[in-house]
Amino acid sequence: MKPSPEEIARANALEEAKRINLPAGAPVPAFLSKAQQLIPVLQERRLAVHALVQADPRPDLPLRFAMRKLADGIELGQRDWKEGDAFIVDFGEHIAGYLSFRVLPTGSVADSPIRLRLTLGEVPTDVAEPLYPYRGWVSAAWLPDEIVTIDDLPSDFRLPRRHAFRYVKVEVLAASRRFGLRFEDMTAHAVTSATMTPAPLPGNYADWMRRVDEVSQHTLRDCLQTCFEDGPRRDRRLWVGDLRLQALANYETFRANDVVKRCLYLFAGFPRSDGLVNGCVYERPVPTYADTTTLDYAALYCVTLQEYVDATGDTECGRDLWPVARKQIDCLLVRLDDTLMFHDSGETWCFIDWAFGLDKSAATHAVIVFALRRMVQLAGALGMGGEIVHYQPLIEKMSAAAREQLFDAGRGIYTSGPDHQVSCATQAWMVMAGIPESTEIAQAALRNALADPAAIRPITPYAYHYIAEAMLACEMRSEALELVHSYWGAMLDAGADTFWEAFDPQDPLTSPYGDIHANSYCHAWSCSPTWLFRACGLGAPVDHQQEFA
C-alpha cells in the first residue's frame, strides 16, 4: 500500500532529525561569525536625579507603596549624611544602565573608608521594603542591591554592574563619626542600542492608548542592548519566544533590524545535538549554549525568521537560515503520536505561560501548526516551495486531529490533556493556528474561556499578547482593544513606566519565582501593544482603520 502524505512527511522528518552529528551546544562558526559582525554600538544618555522621595505604605495599591516627593533632585548635593542615614532618589523614568556619583567628606578630614548599600529599584517595592529574607527559587544574586566600600574621599564612583532602575536607595552602613558625607553629581547612564525616537501615535488615538504605546516603546528600548534581552534586570538573556514579540514591535518603532538578524544567527549558532535551537542563549562573556530547550519556542524560531524576511526583504539571510528553521519543524514532527497529535510528556520543556497548573499539550500542538503555516509562507518567499510539499497535508491533518480530539462541541471550547483542562492560552493558540473551522467557532472559543471562572488564565503579558493577537485574527477588534485596556492599562494604573514580566490583575503580588523581588519590571515580551496599535491598527479611529485592512 502506498504510504499517505503525512506518513511520508513523518518519515522524512525522522530521517532529517537524525542528520546531526554535532555534540549538544557545539558552536557553528559560520553563524556565530555573522552574529558577532552585527554587534550594535550602545548609545548613552545621562539623567540627573529628578527628586528626593520617600516611600509611603499604601496597602490599597497593587505594589503596596507610593512615592512622595520630598525635594527637587538638585538638593541632594546640598545635604549632609552620616552613618545610619538613608535616602531614596528618583530619576524620573526607568532606565537600563549604570550609576555614578561623587562622594566627599564634610566637616573634617576623612579618616576611614565608607561602606554603602545601594539598592536600585525598578518600582517602589524594590526600595521600600527589605529584599531579605529572600524566598525565591532563582538565585538571590539577581536581587538589585550592592554593598560597596569606598576607601578614599573625596571620590568619583561608578557602579561597575549594569542595573535596571528608576529609584536608588542609598544606606550609609558605616562611616567615621568625625565627618559627614555629601553626594554630588549623581547620574544615571542609560544605555540602549536604539538609535531613533519613534513618532508618537496621532492625537486622534485615545490618551490611554498613546500612553500604553509610549510605555511599550520604553520597555523595548531598555531591553534593546547588544541583543534583545528579555529583561535588563533579570535574566538578561536572549529567548526565542521573547524575540518574536520584540522583533515585531521593533519593526514598527526602532527598526534595529540588524539586531534581530544577529539574534537569529546566535540561535542558529548553538543547536542541540538533535538540531533544535536553544530556548535561550547566554551572550556574555562570549556567546554560549544555554542547555535550555523549549519546544514551543523552537517552533517560533521559524515564525520569527519568516517575519524578519517579510519585514526587511532580506532573502539572503532567509536562505542562509532556512535549513535551521526547517530543522525545528522536522524535529517537532517526530514528537507527534500516530494520530498526528502532540502530547506534552514533560521530557522537554514547553513554556506557553507561567500560569500555575497549565496543561500545555493542546497549545503546543497549535504552535506547531502555526509554525508550519508560516514555514509554507517563508518557503514561497525564498523560492523553496519544492522542499515543503509534504508540509501542507500535515497542516490539514494536524488541524483535523485537533478538532476531533480536543474540541468540546457542547461547550464550544478546546480542551487540553487527560483532564480536559480549559485555558485561555489553549483557545488563543488554536485560533492563531487556524484550527477552528469558522470565525464564529473561533470567537466562541475565546469568549467561552474568558467567561469561564474555572478556566486557567495567564499571568504573563506574553500569553495575554497571544489572546489579543488571536482576537484580531478572528475579527474581535473591540474585545482585543478592551483586553489591552484592562491588562496593560491596569499596569499603568499600578504605576508602571515600563511593562512587567508577570502581572495578574487579581493578584498583583504573584511571582513565578516565589518572591515578588525576583520579578522583572521591564520585560520585553510585554512590549507588543505598540505593534498591535501600529501594525494591526488596533484602536485606530474609524476613518483610519481602512489602511490596516
Side-chain angles (χ1 to χ4, degrees):
M1 180 182 297
K2 184 178 179 180
S4 66
E6 61 270 16
E7 289 172 331
I8 294 173
R10 294 185 68 226
N12 289 342
L14 182 59
E15 287 305 309
E16 184 66 23
K18 290 177 180 176
R19 292 176 195 156
I20 293 289
N21 53 21
L22 289 172
V28 181
F31 289 153
L32 290 182
S33 175
K34 291 181 179 181
Q36 296 305 81
Q37 291 170 21
L38 293 166
I39 297 175
V41 175
L42 294 178
Q43 313 294 311
E44 180 175 311
R45 180 170 57 99
R46 298 187 177 192
L47 289 81
V49 173
H50 177 70
L52 285 162
V53 295
Q54 176 176 303
D56 292 335
R58 286 285 304 275
D60 57 309
L61 296 180
L63 293 180
R64 301 184 297 233
F65 294 92
M67 287 303 193
R68 175 164 54 90
K69 181 178 177 180
L70 300 177
D72 290 334
I74 196 170
E75 291 194 25
L76 174 62
Q78 302 167 7
R79 297 192 179 190
D80 293 349
W81 311 90
K82 61 183 184 301
E83 181 176 286
D85 285 344
F87 61 89
I88 301 172
V89 300
D90 176 6
F91 283 98
E93 64 175 272
H94 183 284
I95 69 111
Y98 302 88
L99 177 73
S100 71
F101 52 82
R102 179 169 177 79
V103 58
L104 60 156
T106 61
S108 181
V109 175
D111 63 343
S112 80
I114 62 170
R115 183 162 296 149
L116 309 174
R117 181 191 295 276
L118 306 173
T119 305
L120 296 96
E122 297 186 284
V123 293
T125 310
D126 290 331
V127 294
E129 61 185 15
L131 301 178
Y132 307 94
Y134 172 65
R135 299 174 296 277
W137 59 265
V138 294
S139 172
W142 287 117
L143 295 178
D145 65 328
E146 309 273 356
I147 295 178
V148 300
T149 300
I150 301 174
D151 287 306
D152 302 312
L153 299 177
S155 178
D156 292 309
F157 178 81
R158 180 177 169 117
L159 198 60
R161 186 166 182 254
R162 195 194 77 199
H163 283 268
F165 63 98
R166 172 175 174 169
Y167 306 101
V168 178
K169 182 178 182 180
V170 179
E171 298 172 79
V172 183
L173 300 181
S176 170
R177 296 178 182 176
R178 294 188 61 193
F179 63 87
L181 295 174
R182 187 165 294 175
F183 294 85
E184 297 180 343
D185 299 324
M186 188 169 281
T187 303
H189 303 260
V191 293
T192 178
S193 57
T195 59
M196 62 176 289
T197 301
L201 285 178
N204 51 7
Y205 281 74
D207 287 345
W208 73 264
M209 297 179 204
R210 286 187 280 115
R211 178 62 180 151
V212 167
D213 179 68
E214 178 184 35
V215 172
S216 297
Q217 291 179 37
H218 290 174
T219 304
L220 180 61
R221 175 200 66 193
D222 290 352
C223 295
L224 184 49
Q225 301 295 321
T226 49
C227 72
F228 281 101
E229 294 183 354
D230 59 334
R233 167 174 172 169
R234 204 226 78 251
D235 48 9
R236 303 184 181 185
R237 67 192 71 164
L238 169 63
W239 286 87
V240 186
D242 300 51
L243 176 61
R244 183 197 173 226
L245 301 189
Q246 290 168 301
L248 288 174
N250 165 76
Y251 302 139
E252 300 300 321
T253 54
F254 300 112
R255 300 174 190 168
N257 297 340
D258 276 355
V259 183
V260 180
K261 184 175 181 177
R262 167 172 159 74
C263 294
L264 289 166
Y265 275 110
L266 280 172
F267 284 118
F270 292 104
R272 238 173 49 150
S273 60
D274 60 1
L276 282 172
V277 297
N278 249 229
C280 65
V281 170
Y282 299 110
E283 194 191 9
R284 294 177 299 274
V286 294
T288 306
Y289 177 73
D291 194 25
T292 304
T293 303
T294 317
L295 294 180
D296 50 320
Y297 277 19
L300 291 175
Y301 180 88
C302 316
V303 178
T304 306
L305 178 61
Q306 181 268 320
E307 291 168 339
Y308 168 78
V309 172
D310 185 59
T312 66
D314 188 356
T315 54
E316 180 181 354
C317 173
R319 291 190 184 94
D320 205 15
L321 295 176
W322 167 260
V324 179
R326 182 178 172 184
K327 177 68 69 177
Q328 307 316 300
I329 295 299
D330 291 336
C331 286
L332 292 167
L333 291 178
V334 300
R335 296 169 181 267
L336 305 180
D337 67 13
D338 290 340
T339 67
L340 299 179
M341 287 296 300
F342 174 85
H343 301 280
D344 181 11
S345 66
E347 177 187 358
T348 305
W349 188 25
C350 303
F351 174 66
I352 303 299
D353 186 59
W354 279 124
F356 305 108
L358 176 65
D359 188 285
K360 303 172 184 180
S361 293
T364 304
H365 180 91
V367 174
I368 297 170
V369 176
F370 176 64
L372 275 166
R373 292 188 188 277
R374 291 302 189 88
M375 282 292 287
V376 171
Q377 292 182 38
L378 179 60
L382 300 177
M384 301 286 191
E387 294 190 24
I388 50 88
V389 291
H390 58 287
Y391 287 161
Q392 193 63 50
L394 271 175
I395 294 172
E396 303 309 322
K397 294 287 186 178
M398 289 179 69
S399 299
R403 290 192 290 267
E404 180 181 345
Q405 298 185 41
L406 303 178
F407 188 61
D408 184 333
R411 300 164 67 191
I413 210 160
Y414 293 88
T415 65
S416 183
D419 295 329
H420 306 288
Q421 183 190 86
V422 173
S423 72
C424 297
T426 290
Q427 317 313 311
W429 277 112
M430 287 288 158
V431 174
M432 289 287 293
I435 288 173
E437 292 186 284
S438 69
T439 298
E440 292 73 21
I441 292 174
Q443 292 176 346
L446 286 166
R447 288 173 179 145
N448 291 339
L450 289 165
D452 184 352
I456 302 293
R457 277 171 168 69
I459 64 170
T460 65
Y462 174 81
Y464 271 100
H465 163 87
Y466 283 109
I467 297 174
E469 189 176 351
M471 286 176 166
L472 289 176
C474 64
E475 303 173 15
M476 296 170 63
R477 297 184 69 85
S478 62
E479 284 152 293
L481 186 62
E482 176 53 33
L483 182 71
V484 173
H485 189 203
S486 63
Y487 188 71
W488 280 268
M491 279 189 270
L492 286 184
D493 293 342
D497 53 4
T498 52
F499 288 128
W500 305 343
E501 174 184 18
F503 178 61
D504 180 352
Q506 304 306 314
D507 183 12
L509 299 180
T510 191
S511 171
Y513 312 107
D515 192 306
I516 191 70
H517 296 121
N519 285 16
S520 163
Y521 290 94
C522 174
H523 221 71
W525 69 18
S526 64
C527 72
S528 63
T530 193
W531 177 75
L532 296 170
F533 291 142
R534 292 165 181 266
C536 306
L538 185 64
V542 174
D543 58 339
H544 289 276
Q545 287 186 9
Q546 185 61 38
E547 64 186 282
F548 299 102

